[in-house]
Coordinates of all heavy atoms in Angstrom, one line a residue:
S658 N -54.4 -15.5 64.9 CA -54.6 -16.5 63.8 C -55.4 -17.7 64.3 O -54.9 -18.3 65.3 CB -53.3 -16.9 63.2 OG -53.4 -18.1 62.5
I659 N -56.5 -17.9 63.7 CA -57.4 -19.0 64.2 C -57.2 -20.3 63.4 O -58.0 -21.2 63.5 CB -58.8 -18.6 64.2 CG1 -59.2 -18.0 62.8 CG2 -59.0 -17.5 65.3 CD1 -60.7 -17.9 62.7
L660 N -56.1 -20.4 62.6 CA -55.9 -21.5 61.7 C -55.9 -22.8 62.5 O -56.4 -23.8 61.9 CB -54.5 -21.3 61.1 CG -54.0 -22.2 60.0 CD1 -54.9 -22.1 58.8 CD2 -52.6 -21.8 59.6
T661 N -55.4 -22.9 63.7 CA -55.3 -24.2 64.4 C -56.4 -24.4 65.4 O -56.3 -25.3 66.2 CB -53.9 -24.3 65.1 OG1 -53.7 -23.2 66.0 CG2 -52.7 -24.3 64.0
H683 N -57.4 -13.0 62.8 CA -56.6 -13.2 61.5 C -57.1 -14.4 60.8 O -57.0 -15.5 61.4 CB -55.2 -13.3 61.9 CG -54.2 -13.4 60.8 ND1 -53.7 -12.3 60.1 CD2 -53.6 -14.4 60.2 CE1 -52.9 -12.7 59.2 NE2 -52.8 -14.0 59.2
D685 N -56.7 -17.0 57.9 CA -55.7 -17.5 57.0 C -56.3 -18.3 55.8 O -56.5 -19.5 56.0 CB -54.6 -18.3 57.7 CG -53.6 -17.5 58.4 OD1 -53.1 -16.6 57.9 OD2 -53.4 -17.8 59.6
M687 N -56.2 -20.2 52.6 CA -55.2 -20.9 51.8 C -56.0 -21.7 50.7 O -57.0 -22.4 51.0 CB -54.4 -21.9 52.6 CG -53.7 -21.2 53.8 SD -52.7 -22.4 54.7 CE -52.0 -21.4 56.0
V692 N -50.3 -22.0 48.3 CA -49.7 -22.9 49.3 C -50.4 -24.2 49.3 O -51.5 -24.4 48.7 CB -49.8 -22.3 50.8 CG1 -49.0 -21.0 50.9 CG2 -51.2 -22.0 51.1
H718 N -56.1 -12.7 55.6 CA -54.8 -12.9 54.9 C -55.0 -13.9 53.8 O -55.2 -15.1 54.0 CB -53.8 -13.4 56.0 CG -52.5 -13.7 55.4 ND1 -51.6 -14.5 56.2 CD2 -51.9 -13.5 54.3 CE1 -50.4 -14.6 55.5 NE2 -50.6 -14.0 54.3
M720 N -53.8 -16.2 51.2 CA -52.7 -16.9 50.6 C -53.3 -17.7 49.4 O -53.4 -19.0 49.5 CB -52.0 -17.8 51.6 CG -51.2 -17.0 52.6 SD -50.8 -18.0 54.1 CE -52.3 -17.7 55.0
H742 N -51.1 -11.4 48.6 CA -49.6 -11.5 48.4 C -49.2 -10.9 47.1 O -49.8 -11.2 46.0 CB -49.2 -13.0 48.4 CG -48.9 -13.5 49.8 ND1 -47.6 -13.6 50.3 CD2 -49.7 -13.8 50.8 CE1 -47.7 -14.0 51.6 NE2 -48.9 -14.1 51.9
L790 N -47.8 -6.7 55.3 CA -47.7 -7.9 56.2 C -46.4 -8.6 55.8 O -46.3 -9.2 54.7 CB -48.9 -8.8 55.9 CG -48.9 -10.3 56.4 CD1 -48.4 -10.4 57.8 CD2 -50.3 -10.9 56.3
M792 N -44.1 -11.5 56.1 CA -44.2 -12.9 56.6 C -42.9 -13.3 57.3 O -41.8 -13.1 56.7 CB -44.4 -13.9 55.4 CG -45.8 -13.9 54.8 SD -47.1 -14.3 56.0 CE -46.6 -15.9 56.6
V794 N -42.4 -16.3 58.5 CA -42.1 -17.7 58.2 C -42.6 -17.9 56.8 O -43.2 -17.0 56.2 CB -43.0 -18.7 59.1 CG1 -42.6 -18.6 60.6 CG2 -44.5 -18.5 58.9
V795 N -42.2 -19.0 56.2 CA -42.7 -19.3 54.9 C -44.2 -19.6 55.0 O -44.6 -20.5 55.8 CB -42.0 -20.6 54.2 CG1 -42.6 -21.0 52.9 CG2 -40.5 -20.3 54.1
P796 N -45.1 -18.9 54.2 CA -46.5 -19.1 54.4 C -46.9 -20.6 54.1 O -46.3 -21.2 53.3 CB -47.1 -18.2 53.4 CG -46.1 -17.7 52.5 CD -44.8 -17.9 53.2
G797 N -47.9 -21.0 54.8 CA -48.4 -22.4 54.6 C -48.9 -23.1 55.8 O -49.9 -23.9 55.7
K798 N -48.2 -22.9 56.9 CA -48.7 -23.6 58.1 C -48.4 -22.8 59.4 O -47.4 -22.0 59.4 CB -48.2 -25.0 58.2 CG -46.8 -25.2 58.0 CD -46.5 -26.7 58.2 CE -45.0 -27.0 58.2 NZ -44.4 -27.1 56.9
G799 N -49.2 -23.1 60.4 CA -48.9 -22.5 61.7 C -47.8 -23.2 62.5 O -47.4 -24.3 62.1
G800 N -47.4 -22.7 63.6 CA -46.5 -23.4 64.5 C -45.0 -23.5 64.0 O -44.3 -24.3 64.5
Q801 N -44.6 -22.6 63.1 CA -43.2 -22.6 62.6 C -42.4 -21.6 63.4 O -42.9 -20.8 64.1 CB -43.2 -22.2 61.2 CG -44.0 -23.1 60.2 CD -43.8 -22.6 58.8 OE1 -42.7 -22.9 58.2 NE2 -44.8 -21.9 58.2
K802 N -41.1 -21.8 63.3 CA -40.1 -20.8 64.0 C -39.9 -19.6 63.1 O -39.7 -19.7 61.9 CB -38.8 -21.5 64.1 CG -38.6 -22.2 65.4 CD -37.1 -22.1 65.8 CE -36.9 -22.3 67.3 NZ -36.6 -23.8 67.6
D830 N -46.1 -11.9 60.8 CA -47.0 -13.1 60.9 C -46.1 -14.4 60.8 O -45.4 -14.6 59.7 CB -48.0 -13.1 59.7 CG -48.9 -14.2 59.7 OD1 -49.0 -15.0 60.7 OD2 -49.7 -14.4 58.7
G831 N -46.1 -15.2 61.8 CA -45.4 -16.5 61.8 C -44.4 -16.5 62.9 O -43.5 -15.7 63.0
G832 N -44.6 -17.5 63.8 CA -43.6 -17.8 64.9 C -43.6 -16.7 65.9 O -42.5 -16.5 66.6
I833 N -44.7 -15.9 66.1 CA -44.6 -14.9 67.1 C -45.0 -15.4 68.5 O -46.1 -16.1 68.7 CB -45.6 -13.7 66.7 CG1 -45.2 -13.0 65.4 CG2 -45.7 -12.7 67.9 CD1 -43.8 -12.3 65.5
N834 N -44.2 -15.2 69.5 CA -44.4 -15.5 70.9 C -43.9 -14.3 71.7 O -43.5 -13.3 71.1 CB -43.7 -16.8 71.2 CG -42.2 -16.8 70.9 OD1 -41.6 -15.8 71.2 ND2 -41.7 -17.9 70.4
V850 N -49.3 -10.8 64.5 CA -50.2 -12.0 64.3 C -49.6 -13.1 65.2 O -48.5 -13.4 65.2 CB -50.3 -12.5 62.8 CG1 -51.1 -13.7 62.7 CG2 -50.8 -11.4 61.9
A851 N -50.5 -13.7 65.9 CA -50.1 -14.9 66.7 C -51.1 -16.0 66.6 O -52.3 -15.8 66.8 CB -49.8 -14.5 68.1
G852 N -50.7 -17.2 66.3 CA -51.5 -18.3 66.2 C -51.3 -19.3 67.4 O -51.9 -19.1 68.5
N853 N -50.4 -20.2 67.2 CA -50.1 -21.2 68.2 C -49.9 -20.7 69.6 O -50.4 -21.2 70.6 CB -48.8 -22.0 67.8 CG -49.1 -23.3 67.3 OD1 -50.2 -23.5 66.7 ND2 -48.3 -24.3 67.6
Y854 N -49.1 -19.6 69.7 CA -48.8 -19.0 71.0 C -50.1 -18.7 71.8 O -50.2 -18.9 73.0 CB -47.9 -17.8 70.8 CG -47.6 -17.1 72.1 CD1 -46.8 -17.6 73.1 CD2 -48.2 -15.8 72.4 CE1 -46.5 -17.0 74.3 CE2 -48.0 -15.2 73.6 CZ -47.1 -15.8 74.6 OH -46.9 -15.2 75.7
L855 N -51.1 -18.1 71.1 CA -52.3 -17.8 71.8 C -53.3 -18.9 72.0 O -53.8 -19.1 73.0 CB -53.1 -16.7 71.0 CG -52.4 -15.3 70.9 CD1 -53.3 -14.3 70.1 CD2 -52.3 -14.7 72.3
Ligands
LIG496 C1 -48.8 -19.0 58.1 C2 -50.0 -18.1 58.5 C3 -49.9 -17.6 59.9 C4 -49.8 -18.6 60.9 C5 -49.5 -18.0 62.3 O1 -48.9 -19.3 56.8 O2 -50.2 -17.0 57.6 O3 -51.0 -16.7 60.2 O4 -50.8 -19.5 61.0 O5 -49.4 -19.1 63.2 P1 -48.2 -19.2 64.3 O6 -48.3 -18.0 65.1 O7 -48.5 -20.4 65.0 O8 -46.9 -19.2 63.5

Side-chain angles (χ1 to χ4, degrees):
S658 164
I659 54 166
L660 190 60
T661 58
H683 183 85
D685 283 310
M687 305 180 180
V692 291
H718 178 193
M720 283 165 278
H742 271 261
L790 166 47
M792 287 304 301
V794 297
V795 176
K798 52 177 187 278
Q801 304 183 74
K802 265 213 162 90
D830 182 10
I833 297 296
N834 55 39
V850 177
N853 255 34
Y854 177 72
L855 291 179

